[in-house]
């Protein structure tokens, strides 16, 4: 049986090689290298509206909290830590509420305030590889946050935006953006699948 399989394998290899004899080598092609432009011609709010498949809960939370103006204004640049539907639902569940509207408005406002950083922090130069403290709209100790960007090409998460890297901000859990450096007309957006928070 092994002898037959060997002969069959050899026959297939020869047939395959013979069938490829007429194929010509590919000629060089002109390569026009370009970098994807991260700028989008819309506000953060308009961007979230185009992606209701992942941001419907987030936009509902923003409207429920009465904080839409932060995402629509164009007079000041913010770093928006956008939460996916999964992140918002997990937050509501972790607060022991059945739905967004069961949650007190101030609880949702504090969640959103923590996810808006005053100023522009992208991975293209503003964020270093070492954690820095940034100013969120949630004031006081509960608003403490650190951010950095991974730049080591040997690391699995190279290029990722990290919030509260382990050991940089008390016992706050580390969060890694699942998408980052989206630049609307009023700042920069980093997308998270888990909500961020400060823990002493």
């Amino acid at each position: 049986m092994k002898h037959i399989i060997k002969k069959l394998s050899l026959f297939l290899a020869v047939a395959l090689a013979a069938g490829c004899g007429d194929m010509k080598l590919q000629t060089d092609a002109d390569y026009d290298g370009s970098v994807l432009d991260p700028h989008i011609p819309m506000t953060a709010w308009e961007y979230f509206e185009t992606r209701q498949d992942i941001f419907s809960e987030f936009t509902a939370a923003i409207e429920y909290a009465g904080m839409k103006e932060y995402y629509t204004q164009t007079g000041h640049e913010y770093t928006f830590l956008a939460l996916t539907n999964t992140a918002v639902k997990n937050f509501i569940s972790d607060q022991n509420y059945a739905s967004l509207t069961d949650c007190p408005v101030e609880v949702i406002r504090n969640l959103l305030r923590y996810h808006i950083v005053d100023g522009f922090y992208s991975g293209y130069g503003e964020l270093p590889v070492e954690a820095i403290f940034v100013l969120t709209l949630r004031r006081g100790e509960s608003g403490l946050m650190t951010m950095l960007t991974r730049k080591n090409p040997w690391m699995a998460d190279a290029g990722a935006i990290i919030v509260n890297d382990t050991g940089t901000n008390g016992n706050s859990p580390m969060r890694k953006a699942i998408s980052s450096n989206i630049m609307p007309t009023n700042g920069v957006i980093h997308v998270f699948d888990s909500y961020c928070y400060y823990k002493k």
Side-chain angles (χ1 to χ4, degrees), residues 111-166:
L111 170 72
L112 296 175
R113 287 176 185 135
Y114 192 74
H115 289 79
I116 301 175
V117 177
D118 196 2
F120 185 94
Y121 294 95
S122 79
Y124 296 130
E126 294 79 21
L127 284 174
V129 295
E130 298 294 327
I132 60 169
F133 278 94
V134 293
L135 184 64
T136 69
L137 295 190
R138 184 165 185 184
R139 300 299 187 231
E141 185 181 34
S142 59
L144 291 175
M145 176 186 285
T146 63
M147 291 181 75
L148 61 86
T149 185
R150 297 269 196 248
K151 298 235 173 145
N152 186 337
W154 304 110
M155 297 179 76
D157 58 357
I161 302 297
I162 307 294
V163 168
N164 295 331
D165 196 23
T166 306

Side-chain angles (χ1 to χ4, degrees), residues 26-152:
Q26 177 180 337
T27 58
D28 289 339
D30 291 333
Y31 174 72
D32 183 21
S34 63
V35 176
L36 181 65
D37 185 358
H39 296 88
I40 53 174
M42 59 186 75
T43 64
W45 179 260
E46 290 168 329
Y47 173 71
F48 299 145
E49 284 190 314
T50 69
R51 292 302 312 272
Q52 286 296 288
D53 55 318
I54 59 171
F55 294 126
S56 59
E57 295 289 329
F58 187 55
T59 54
I62 292 167
E63 290 184 314
Y64 178 65
M67 293 179 64
K68 184 176 171 182
E69 69 274 5
Y70 285 102
Y71 303 89
T72 58
Q73 61 77 41
T74 55
H76 186 80
E77 288 189 321
Y78 290 106
T79 299
F80 301 104
L81 309 182
L83 299 176
T84 63
N85 291 338
T86 301
V88 174
K89 287 176 183 176
N90 286 343
F91 175 79
I92 292 165
S93 174
D94 290 348
Q95 300 301 308
N96 295 315
Y97 292 102
S99 69
L100 173 67
T101 53
D102 289 338
C103 229
V105 172
E106 196 58 25
V107 170
I108 299 300
R109 283 185 185 142
N110 283 333
L111 170 72
L112 296 175
R113 287 176 185 135
Y114 192 74
H115 289 79
I116 301 175
V117 177
D118 196 2
F120 185 94
Y121 294 95
S122 79
Y124 296 130
E126 294 79 21
L127 284 174
V129 295
E130 298 294 327
I132 60 169
F133 278 94
V134 293
L135 184 64
T136 69
L137 295 190
R138 184 165 185 184
R139 300 299 187 231
E141 185 181 34
S142 59
L144 291 175
M145 176 186 285
T146 63
M147 291 181 75
L148 61 86
T149 185
R150 297 269 196 248
K151 298 235 173 145
N152 186 337

